[in-house]
Amino acid sequence: MKEFPSDIPLLKGCTIVIIGSNHQSFHLLEAEIYQLGRVHRFTNHLWAVNFMKKHHPDVIIVRNTSCEITLYRLLQKHLCPLVTPTVLITPKVEKVKRALGWHAGLVDVVSDVVSSKILKQKVVNLLHHSYHQN
């Protein structure tokens, strides 16, 4: 994985949406993400969809251990097409990859035991890639 520095001013203005369950362990992952830009966290996907329709985030992180696939498909339905780079965090990586394949917007599926530094670097890389595409 190519690493880009996360302290570049470009990243400070980015908008990141986190949708997911309220597990204590996930707060440790979030801590690194909050350093990158404006982070908006939702436990309800409909609130997240309403926010994203107005504010168009740069990256979406979905973490919901019981229904990642359903939640991702709901986001696609409401934000059709889902073009924002989206990362799913799940304990069932292979199951989710098989069920979803690589749909529009879905760029990564990672284990829920991913380290906060690796998750942060994945988000930084996505932001740099998106920035250089435009």
Side-chain angles (χ1 to χ4, degrees):
M1 170 172 40
K2 184 174 180 180
E3 294 189 14
F4 293 100
S6 60
D7 58 350
I8 295 176
L10 135 79
L11 299 180
K12 300 303 179 189
C14 71
T15 300
I16 301 166
V17 168
I18 298 174
I19 308 165
S21 51
N22 213 1
H23 295 301
Q24 185 68 24
S25 62
F26 193 54
H27 292 295
L28 299 173
L29 293 177
E30 284 181 9
E32 292 283 335
I33 303 300
Y34 278 98
Q35 299 171 7
L36 297 178
R38 294 182 306 272
V39 177
H40 302 272
R41 187 179 197 291
F42 299 92
T43 55
N44 179 304
H45 79 277
L46 291 176
W47 295 341
V49 165
N50 287 335
F51 174 85
M52 291 188 284
K53 283 181 178 178
K54 295 176 187 167
H55 300 285
H56 308 291
D58 298 294
V59 173
I60 301 169
I61 300 172
V62 175
R63 189 212 191 263
N64 188 320
T65 57
S66 61
C67 59
E68 301 89 351
I69 296 168
T70 304
L71 182 53
Y72 182 76
R73 288 193 174 134
L74 282 169
L75 290 176
Q76 275 191 314
K77 178 181 174 186
H78 291 289
L79 298 173
C80 191
L82 182 60
V83 295
T84 303
T86 303
V87 177
L88 294 181
I89 299 175
T90 177
K92 306 169 223 148
V93 172
E94 291 308 313
K95 178 182 175 185
V96 170
K97 282 182 180 179
R98 279 193 310 273
L100 289 176
W102 294 107
H103 288 273
L106 180 60
V107 294
D108 210 346
V109 179
V110 297
S111 169
D112 62 344
V113 294
V114 66
S115 79
S116 58
K117 296 211 181 297
I118 290 174
L119 180 61
K120 178 182 177 183
Q121 192 60 54
K122 285 180 178 286
V123 171
V124 167
N125 291 351
L126 288 173
L127 291 167
H128 278 281
H129 181 73
S130 295
Y131 175 75
H132 293 295
Q133 291 288 325
N134 296 330

